[in-house]
Amino acid sequence: DLCTTDLCSGGECFYTPVECDDGLSCTIDSCDPTIGCVQYAEECCDDNDCTVDECDPEMGCTHTPFVCNDYNMCTDDECVPSIGCLHKPMCCCDDDECTIDECDPQSGCVHTDLDCDDGNECTHDKCDSVKGCIHFEATCDDDDECTDDHCLVDKGCQFDIIECDDYDECTIDTCESGSGCRFDPVECDDSSECTIDYCLTGFGCTSELSDCDDDDECTEDGCDDLTGCYNIPVNCDDGDWCTVDTCECSSGCSNRPRVCNDDDLCTVDTCQSVSQSCQFTPVECDDDNECTTDQCDEETGGCSYSEVTCDDDDEC
């Protein structure tokens, strides 16, 4: 063994371990019994991309932090151990909608006042720090409902007398300064709740039948002259206990078979309309052989047949 110093004294053997320390902090010292002392270079990697890993013969491993400054005032410089240097664009947002936020690589964030002038004489322009530019419409109201009050971009407020003629023979046209134009309709009532009554210019009063269809296949739709439209629910009962009777608005009545399932594969499940009940009949597994034990497997629903044991344990 090259890793021991062997000595025999007084008829007894002594084995002293060999000293393999080379005094250097940058090596890992060990001993191989076949070749003697072995020195391996110290692995100083700390798996951190944010440090410079080196080995000093006297101090051993050193991990110097890496400087990630890109000298750009528009980035936030940081180092992520698993990635290395990151230079994220700096957010210059001052949370003020009244400024234009930009960034200069030399000086950093710049916030320029926003110009909210829309060049329209009919608006009052201002800026709100939360909403940004706001353009309030100029008020051109002469308190006369018989004038058309409006504002032109280059002329300002205008108050034009409105014309209340709707050229409709079925209305009486007037104007009141407090309420404006009035177009009083001609009364066209045929006293039936099942018609829509109106006056058609050039023809006079006209009555159309009301549409009482509620687009629901589950109702019977009709109309009564005194009360108007009615929508009576449809009866979907088919008188069979073994169906589930429902109604869908789009398709109408549905009579789906009632599900009789006892979750037992060893029964035949049926529905009995007369008794109004579910019937669960055991699966027939009899093979007519007295020498087998017949049974149904609850896992598969299949029949199994095992031989009957006739041994009475009596040798006589």
Side-chain angles (χ1 to χ4, degrees), residues 96-145:
D96 186 348
E97 295 296 326
C98 292
T99 61
I100 299 174
D101 305 324
E102 300 174 310
C103 189
D104 182 278
Q106 301 299 323
S107 58
C109 290
V110 179
H111 308 286
T112 307
D113 290 338
L114 185 65
D115 182 6
C116 289
D117 184 3
D118 61 359
N120 187 348
E121 294 299 323
C122 292
T123 59
H124 301 296
D125 309 323
K126 64 174 292 185
C127 192
D128 183 275
S129 59
V130 176
K131 299 179 180 180
C133 287
I134 301 175
H135 309 287
F136 295 100
E137 185 177 354
T139 301
C140 294
D141 187 1
D142 61 357
D143 294 323
D144 186 348
E145 295 299 325

Side-chain angles (χ1 to χ4, degrees), residues 196-212:
I196 300 173
D197 308 322
Y198 61 94
C199 185
L200 186 62
T201 302
F203 295 92
C205 288
T206 302
S207 300
E208 294 182 359
L209 291 177
S210 298
D211 182 6
C212 292

Side-chain angles (χ1 to χ4, degrees), residues 1-9 11-18:
D1 185 346
L2 295 180
C3 291
T4 59
T5 300
D6 307 330
L7 175 66
C8 183
S9 176
E12 184 178 356
C13 291
F14 296 92
Y15 307 100
T16 305
V18 172

Side-chain angles (χ1 to χ4, degrees), residues 133-176:
C133 287
I134 301 175
H135 309 287
F136 295 100
E137 185 177 354
T139 301
C140 294
D141 187 1
D142 61 357
D143 294 323
D144 186 348
E145 295 299 325
C146 291
T147 59
D148 177 16
D149 307 333
H150 59 282
C151 188
L152 299 179
V153 175
D154 56 344
K155 293 183 179 181
C157 288
Q158 304 292 308
F159 308 100
D160 300 330
I161 296 176
I162 62 175
E163 183 179 359
C164 290
D165 186 0
D166 61 358
Y167 304 102
D168 186 349
E169 295 178 0
C170 292
T171 61
I172 300 173
D173 310 329
T174 58
C175 188
E176 297 179 1

Side-chain angles (χ1 to χ4, degrees), residues 11-69:
E12 184 178 356
C13 291
F14 296 92
Y15 307 100
T16 305
V18 172
E19 179 60 52
C20 288
D21 186 359
D22 61 0
L24 298 177
S25 297
C26 291
T27 59
I28 299 174
D29 306 319
S30 64
C31 189
D32 186 301
T34 60
I35 61 175
C37 288
V38 180
Q39 279 78 33
Y40 299 98
E42 177 73 38
E43 186 69 37
C44 287
C45 180
D46 60 358
D47 293 325
N48 185 343
D49 288 339
C50 292
T51 59
V52 178
D53 306 324
E54 299 174 313
C55 188
D56 184 281
E58 295 183 0
M59 299 174 58
C61 289
T62 60
H63 309 287
T64 307
F66 194 78
V67 178
C68 289
N69 189 359

Side-chain angles (χ1 to χ4, degrees), residues 70-75 90 92 102-110:
D70 63 356
Y71 301 101
N72 185 343
M73 295 295 289
C74 293
T75 60
M90 179 180 294
C92 286
E102 300 174 310
C103 189
D104 182 278
Q106 301 299 323
S107 58
C109 290
V110 179

